[in-house]
């Protein structure tokens, strides 16, 4: 459907009628022809029996996510950490991703995201619980984590304190 831009609120509206079965979930993707991009919609709508969602007076508002423009690997948080830490990363396109953790000697400790794992473009995060490939806890110390995806390689350090 074509959308209408409202400069006062800096928003777009689109009139759309869709039919579905009870409990069926509807998700959206918005294609912007002007700059040849797609926006993901954060919200989903769930159909109800004889339900009407939104109208011209009270429209349904859906929030969008803009896709990152480049690959990125953020500093883990918290850092130092105990017992878990979160690592955020960004993918501008769908891509195979590997996120690995190494000890200070350069030995692989664990793979948080396995190679060959295709992920959608967008903002992602992964949690490390301070264990190795066998699921055993590792000792306190400095660890290196890396991302590899479509030729993008980047590393950062983190500190585990027990």
């Amino acid at each position: 459907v074509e959308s209408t831009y409202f400069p006062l609120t800096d928003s777009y509206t689109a009139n759309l009628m869709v039919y579905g079965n009870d409990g069926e979930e509807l998700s959206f993707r918005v294609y912007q022809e002007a700059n040849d991009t797609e926006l993901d919609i954060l919200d989903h709508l769930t159909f109800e029996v004889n339900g009407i969602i939104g109208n011209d007076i009270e429209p349904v508002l859906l929030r969008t996510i803009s896709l990152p423009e480049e690959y990125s690997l953020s500093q883990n948080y918290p850092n130092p950490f105990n017992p878990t830490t979160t690592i955020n990363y960004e993918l501008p396109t769908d891509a195979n991703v590997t996120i690995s953790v190494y000890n200070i000697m350069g030995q692989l400790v664990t793979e948080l995201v396995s190679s060959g794992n295709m992920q959608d473009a967008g903002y992602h995060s992964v949690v490390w619980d301070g264990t190795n490939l066998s699921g055993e806890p590792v000792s306190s110390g400095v660890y290196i984590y890396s991302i590899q995806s479509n030729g993008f390689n980047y590393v950062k350090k983190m500190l585990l304190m027990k």
Side-chain angles (χ1 to χ4, degrees):
V1 294
E2 291 276 335
S3 60
T4 305
Y5 178 67
F6 291 93
L8 184 62
T9 59
D10 190 31
S11 63
Y12 291 86
T13 63
N15 294 323
L16 178 67
M17 184 180 291
V18 181
Y19 298 93
N21 296 320
D22 186 32
E24 206 170 21
E25 195 172 86
L26 179 66
S27 59
F28 298 89
R29 267 199 124 116
V30 176
Y31 175 72
Q32 294 179 319
E33 191 172 3
N35 56 7
D36 196 34
T37 60
E38 283 188 16
L39 298 175
D40 285 323
I41 305 295
L42 288 171
D43 303 305
H44 298 273
L45 298 178
T46 303
F47 287 103
E48 299 172 6
V49 175
N50 297 324
I52 296 175
I53 303 171
N55 56 47
D56 287 342
I57 297 170
E58 294 180 30
V60 174
L61 302 176
L62 301 174
R63 295 171 289 140
T64 63
I65 336 172
S66 58
L67 293 177
E69 294 183 15
E70 59 187 26
Y71 289 92
S72 175
L73 179 65
S74 298
Q75 185 64 51
N76 65 301
Y77 69 89
N79 189 34
F81 72 97
N82 180 18
T84 63
T85 189
T86 301
I87 299 168
N88 293 319
Y89 56 101
E90 302 173 5
L91 306 173
T93 61
D94 295 354
N96 287 316
V97 177
T98 303
I99 297 183
S100 305
V101 177
Y102 301 90
N103 63 22
I104 202 68
M105 303 292 287
Q107 299 164 320
L108 178 66
V109 174
T110 192
E111 255 189 17
L112 301 175
V113 179
S114 300
S115 60
N117 183 357
M118 181 62 85
Q119 295 191 354
D120 293 334
Y123 301 89
H124 300 272
S125 65
V126 63
V127 174
W128 184 41
D129 62 2
T131 60
N132 62 19
L133 289 168
S134 304
E136 300 168 358
V138 298
S139 59
S140 296
V142 175
Y143 291 87
I144 308 296
Y145 60 100
S146 71
I147 185 171
Q148 296 176 338
S149 180
N150 286 354
F152 174 75
N153 298 303
Y154 202 75
V155 298
K156 289 197 175 266
K157 353 183 239 195
M158 62 182 153
L159 180 60
L160 170 60
M161 296 179 66
K162 292 189 173 186

